[in-house]
Amino acid sequence: MFDLNGDGDVDCEEFEKVATLIRQQTSIGSRHRDHANTGNTFKGVNSALTTYFFGPTLKQKLTIEKFLDFQKQLQREILSLEFQRKHPDENGKITEPDFTDLLLAYSGFPEKKKARMLKRVKKAFRDHGQGISREDYLNFFHFLNNINDVDTALTFYHIAGASIDELTLKHVAKTVAHVDLSDHIIHVVFTIFDENQDGQLSNREFIAVMKNRLLRGLEKPKDTGFVKFMQSVLKCAKDSTPALLDI
Ligand SMILES: [Ca+2]
Ligand SMILES: [Ca+2]
């Protein structure tokens, strides 16, 4: 989309053209445009980003590899910030209830339902909580990033009549998302989502919810994927370096 002259890379001019166009057409974009009078937040982040993508003189080209690498780093960074906000202990772990809180943040559940889930987790791990490490956390969200493939795989399990117990989830994570989830984090996830306590997760109990979580509450139909991405950059920048906004 950005490569206007079709040479396989994106240069700064191409990037600016498309970014401007998107800003004019979307609701999030216009909200930032309206900020222009009061400080123009968007432009500040944008210039930091263009310098990163195209170098200090803006002469470099942006390759697909560089962009994908940036996206991967950005995702890790945002997740790490979320994790850090829960104040990990001296072993670098957060509590099971804190993990639950992070996971349910964008679920769109009614407060009552969230409270019920949190209560279940608090009760289950009150005396023998092992905590959740940053690696566990990143692994789990890597798994969630592949939730659509996981959904497809689980559908096949349904057709075969098999149940989605803890072992099945572990197996699907490994084969579909290529990630090793620890037994503990799987157990915590089951404690959170197994509403009817039958030891199995139905699609309604888990997958549908996690697809929402992935969207981070940004699922407004008018906004494109790029704006979601820019919104994440903005959130990331705002959370990490307030000074960046003053550029
Ligand atoms: Ca180009
Ligand atoms: Ca169940």
Side-chain angles (χ1 to χ4, degrees):
M1 185 172 95
F2 282 85
D3 181 16
L4 298 173
N5 66 0
D7 67 350
D9 294 319
V10 171
D11 60 39
C12 188
E13 204 183 321
E14 289 171 330
F15 182 79
E16 291 285 2
K17 264 184 197 153
V18 180
T20 305
L21 205 66
I22 291 172
R23 232 174 294 154
Q24 285 165 354
Q25 285 176 348
T26 64
S27 58
I28 289 177
S30 38
R31 218 180 305 149
H32 287 293
R33 217 175 43 236
D34 297 342
H35 275 193
N37 306 333
T38 54
N40 208 344
T41 317
F42 197 83
K43 206 177 169 196
V45 174
N46 219 16
S47 67
L49 205 57
T50 46
T51 308
Y52 179 78
F53 283 157
F54 306 103
T57 55
L58 305 181
K59 294 280 180 242
Q60 289 171 28
K61 300 237 170 139
L62 177 63
T63 61
I64 290 175
E65 289 76 22
K66 184 168 178 179
F67 184 79
L68 289 179
D69 183 58
F70 167 76
Q71 189 190 33
K72 206 168 118 195
Q73 285 184 45
L74 179 70
Q75 279 174 350
R76 276 186 80 93
E77 201 61 37
I78 291 171
L79 288 172
S80 296
L81 282 168
E82 286 181 344
F83 185 82
Q84 214 57 39
R85 209 183 286 158
K86 291 295 180 188
H87 306 293
D89 64 13
E90 63 275 11
N91 299 318
K93 291 185 172 184
I94 59 171
T95 66
E96 284 82 3
D98 279 344
F99 172 72
T100 307
D101 214 38
L102 288 173
L103 207 52
L104 298 181
Y106 300 92
S107 63
F109 283 159
E111 288 304 317
K112 247 186 175 169
K113 185 171 180 169
K114 277 199 259 188
R116 197 166 63 234
M117 290 171 145
L118 199 59
K119 199 174 156 193
R120 212 156 51 220
V121 171
K122 278 182 181 161
K123 195 177 158 204
F125 299 99
R126 187 181 295 142
D127 300 322
H128 42 273
Q130 297 176 24
I132 307 288
S133 70
R134 186 169 160 276
E135 202 197 337
D136 271 344
Y137 184 73
L138 291 175
N139 274 344
F140 188 72
F141 278 89
H142 178 72
F143 162 71
L144 287 186
N145 278 334
N146 293 281
I147 199 76
N148 287 319
D149 295 338
V150 172
D151 192 18
T152 307
L154 289 180
T155 305
F156 284 117
Y157 274 102
H158 271 303
I159 290 167
S163 58
I164 305 161
D165 53 15
E166 299 194 11
L167 269 178
T168 307
L169 188 67
K170 193 180 170 82
H171 179 69
V172 169
K174 174 98 179 144
T175 50
V176 178
H178 308 290
V179 55
D180 272 312
L181 295 179
S182 69
D183 291 345
H184 181 61
I185 202 160
I186 288 182
H187 189 54
V188 175
V189 168
F190 268 69
T191 308
I192 298 171
F193 293 103
D194 187 9
E195 283 279 322
N196 62 359
Q197 309 263 292
D198 65 350
Q200 293 171 22
L201 291 186
S202 65
N203 188 292
R204 198 181 52 83
E205 281 175 329
F206 182 61
I207 301 285
V209 175
M210 286 298 102
K211 279 183 171 171
N212 256 338
R213 174 63 177 79
L214 208 57
L215 294 171
R216 293 173 182 279
L218 291 169
E219 63 280 15
K220 288 214 184 74
K222 201 185 173 196
D223 288 318
T224 63
F226 176 74
V227 172
K228 283 178 194 167
F229 157 70
M230 286 307 292
Q231 180 82 340
S232 304
V233 175
L234 202 66
K235 183 183 180 305
C236 180
K238 203 155 77 186
D239 290 350
S240 54
T241 49
L244 190 63
L245 301 176
D246 299 322
I247 293 168

